[in-house]
Amino acid sequence: MPRIISWNITLRCPLKCSHCYVDAGVEEADGVLSTEEAFSVIDQIRATGKPVVVLSGGEPLLRKDIYEIARYGTEQGLRMVMGTSGYFIDHDTAIKLRNAGIRAVAISLDSKDAATHDSFRGLDGVWERAVQAIGYCRNAGIGVQINMSVMRSAISNIGDVIELGTSLGVRDYQLFFPVPTGRARHIEPRSPEEYEELIRQILIRYRDSDLNIRPTCAPQFRRIADGLGITNPAWGRGCLAGITYCRIFANGDVTPCPYLPVSAGNVRTTPFSEIWNNSPLFIALRDPDNLTGKCGRCDFKTICGGCRARAYRLEDAASPLWCDGLATPDTLKGECCGEDPWCPYEPGGTAI
């Protein structure tokens, strides 16, 4: 059964984040699921179990029916949460989210420095609103997670954000490492070796912490942690794409993750359960023996799996932006089961 489903409920957003994987903007994309269709999707999801459903965007709070959708999902027994910039969350909004059944909110915070965060997000005042939103949500009894996009390879930047978040009462952190999709294709990444060392420093620094910190879009953290003797049952597999996790795009297309632009089917024409259980794409991703290259030879393929989005991008870097459409398995040129080009580890070597 799926454990987590991320749902791009809208592609509208007031921010202009330089790394936005859906290239969100002021205009809504064509073909976005209606309120009634969203209810139908929730029914379809519920037929597969009770996964966590992350209402994301764009900015989900720009949908006028967002509270109706959240409430309907809650009534069907799903754990409804939200991913947001925090830009529109004030005291009243936090109360409305709680009353609609939103159990937790992930708020983006990329720096302890307001000017740095605002520059990255493309709008002045975003940092201040994000920090205020954390307080409003906590006061309303909503759990808060901080999502940080790790764009610089300095442990001090991560430490500063976690220190700030902890002072605000936040215990949960997702550290997102950039994948070149959407507008992030124009950002020059650091070297794999730099990020490898940064992940190692993160794991060592917080190994005895009672905080819940998980590197995301960096599945090799499981290999690095294994080499350091660090374990955490809550982590799960490094790459979850298509295994216990998937994404529903704004138009109803289902993909293994938000950064892998390959549709396994559309909920408008195929029930979600059929896509989840029988899609050839998902079935392929669930078998580690399908991995090729050094990922296929790696001793850590069952706990890491390599980033499937980066493997795909290696072959199909010219793929269009998300808003221009998704690939389908029959037109797929990239190799979703290929080796992860971002991992410097050579099978048979020593895990660091």
Side-chain angles (χ1 to χ4, degrees), residues 171 205-213:
R171 315 298 296 172
R205 180 165 180 172
Y206 296 101
R207 70 186 304 164
D208 298 320
S209 170
D210 61 351
L211 302 176
N212 181 23
I213 302 172

Side-chain angles (χ1 to χ4, degrees), residues 8-85:
N8 297 125
I9 202 77
T10 178
L11 298 187
R12 293 179 61 206
C13 186
L15 278 59
K16 304 177 181 63
C17 303
S18 57
H19 68 308
C20 181
Y21 65 83
V22 293
D23 198 24
V26 295
E27 300 295 331
E28 187 62 277
D30 293 334
V32 172
L33 297 169
S34 67
T35 305
E36 291 302 318
E37 287 177 315
F39 291 167
S40 174
V41 171
I42 288 171
D43 290 338
Q44 293 178 43
I45 292 172
R46 182 63 184 84
T48 68
K50 294 184 179 180
V52 175
V53 177
V54 185
L55 299 176
S56 183
E59 173 51 63
L61 285 168
L62 281 177
R63 277 196 69 140
K64 294 180 180 180
D65 58 358
I66 193 65
Y67 303 105
E68 297 175 64
I69 294 171
R71 186 174 298 108
Y72 186 79
T74 300
E75 291 171 349
Q76 304 313 305
L78 301 177
R79 180 179 172 87
M80 304 298 289
V81 302
M82 179 175 288
T84 173
S85 66

Side-chain angles (χ1 to χ4, degrees), residues 18-19 108-111 120-121 146-159 161-162 173-179 184 187-191 194-199 202 213-218 259 310 342:
S18 57
H19 68 308
S108 299
L109 197 63
D110 305 311
S111 176
F120 184 54
R121 296 286 167 175
I146 285 179
N147 286 353
M148 178 185 183
S149 294
V150 182
M151 306 306 294
R152 294 176 292 174
S153 52
I155 186 65
S156 60
N157 298 321
I158 295 170
V161 169
I162 292 177
Y173 300 84
Q174 291 256 6
L175 308 178
F176 286 83
F177 288 77
V179 178
I187 297 176
E188 183 67 29
R190 297 292 187 264
S191 70
E194 283 184 84
Y195 280 125
E196 182 101 351
E197 177 57 25
L198 179 57
I199 293 168
I202 293 168
I213 302 172
R214 188 187 196 280
T216 300
C217 302
Y259 307 99
R310 288 194 177 88
W342 202 58

